[in-house]
Amino acid sequence: MIRDIQQKIKRQLNSRNGRNSLTFLVFLAISTLFWFLMSLNDEIQRDYELPVIIDGLPADITLLSAHGETPVVSISVRDKGANHLSRQFLKRKNLHIGFNDFNNSDNCRLTLSETQLNNIIRQQFGGTATVITQSPDSLSVSYTTLPPVKVPVIIKSNIVAKPQYTINGPIQTSADSVLIFSATPLSNRIKAVFTDIVNLDGISDTTHTRASINVPADCRAVPDTIDIIVPVEPLVSRTFTIPVEPLNTPDNTMMITFPTQVSFSCLVPMSLFNTAGYPVKAYADYDKRTGNTIRLELSLIPDNYINGTISPTSVEYILETE
């Protein structure tokens, strides 16, 4: 079958129409090549986003910008198309600035004036390039040489599970503390740092998210984000039979309730359904009797026993002398 296709193509190319089409395609390719070569000599304006790379940065200096990143310089350059193309192939996508090119002032900032930055850009782009626009027009990066201080992280959150689901257990984090770098000694002015507010509403499964660390001005946290895991489980119904225990009975008497046991129902996380039940009790307080009945009160129950109810809610009683 492949041979038949090859023969068919060969017959088409040997035909008059086939030769004409082939000639047209050859001339089209030649003209396209000439147009491309001529356009390379034309001046073209192109925009560049150039992250600043500081060469020769001393090991004892920590930049205080977010993530320790340097600024990005946005420029628009007019130059020959060939020069733009060569930059693309050479992947010149960073602006390299030597540490010694900065003015190191006493206020812990690396500064580069508009003239200095413009000269460095021109040197890297060559004499044929013309910088049309440049932003920012100068650079200023804060830094520190002080050692970091370890402080705890407090999560600020507003997390609500979907109905019939619950947050079962503590929220887990990838780090309970971070290192804070500062241009000035921190001493005791930072006891802890907070995350951005984590807003999660109506979650029905264990949720993974990430939160940024909030730090004062001219400070940097490492890490500056933490991963957060919110454990979520479905709720299932569970029922226990629990005893009724008298309270505040008169001296030398014994209270007998009818019934002596009641049913306790609640919702529990699915993982706790088959575990041993927590010892919940129903109290019948003689001091709160109404006629021959007493309304029952529940003992303390754990947080993961949700919407606990008893049935019946009241019992009858009699007193017997001991």
Side-chain angles (χ1 to χ4, degrees), residues 16 42 53 75 102 104 123 125 147 178 194 214 216 228 265 291:
R16 183 176 180 180
D42 293 338
I53 303 296
I75 61 174
F102 285 94
N104 302 320
Q123 289 174 7
F125 276 75
V178 294
F194 295 87
N214 282 318
I228 297 173
S265 299

Side-chain angles (χ1 to χ4, degrees), residues 9-23:
I9 294 174
K10 187 175 181 180
R11 285 196 301 270
Q12 290 289 340
L13 291 176
N14 289 332
S15 67
R16 183 176 180 180
N17 289 336
R19 288 194 297 271
N20 290 339
S21 298
L22 184 61
T23 302

Side-chain angles (χ1 to χ4, degrees), residues 45-120:
Q45 185 169 326
R46 183 179 174 185
D47 297 332
Y48 291 87
E49 297 285 331
L50 303 174
V52 173
I53 303 296
I54 302 177
D55 296 325
L57 187 69
D60 63 338
I61 282 184
T62 301
L63 301 182
L64 296 180
S65 53
H67 310 295
E69 295 176 351
T70 49
V72 174
V73 177
S74 301
I75 61 174
S76 183
V77 176
R78 180 178 293 278
D79 202 353
K80 292 183 177 181
N83 293 336
H84 285 302
L85 185 63
S86 66
R87 294 188 191 102
Q88 182 67 28
F89 280 116
L90 294 175
K91 297 182 179 180
R92 295 177 180 173
K93 298 181 179 180
N94 296 318
L95 185 61
H96 288 268
I97 301 177
F99 174 76
N100 293 329
D101 293 331
F102 285 94
N103 296 322
N104 302 320
S105 56
D106 294 334
N107 60 353
C108 294
R109 301 193 75 85
L110 302 176
T111 58
L112 204 65
S113 67
E114 179 178 358
T115 301
Q116 290 174 308
L117 180 58
N118 191 267
N119 288 338
I120 291 173

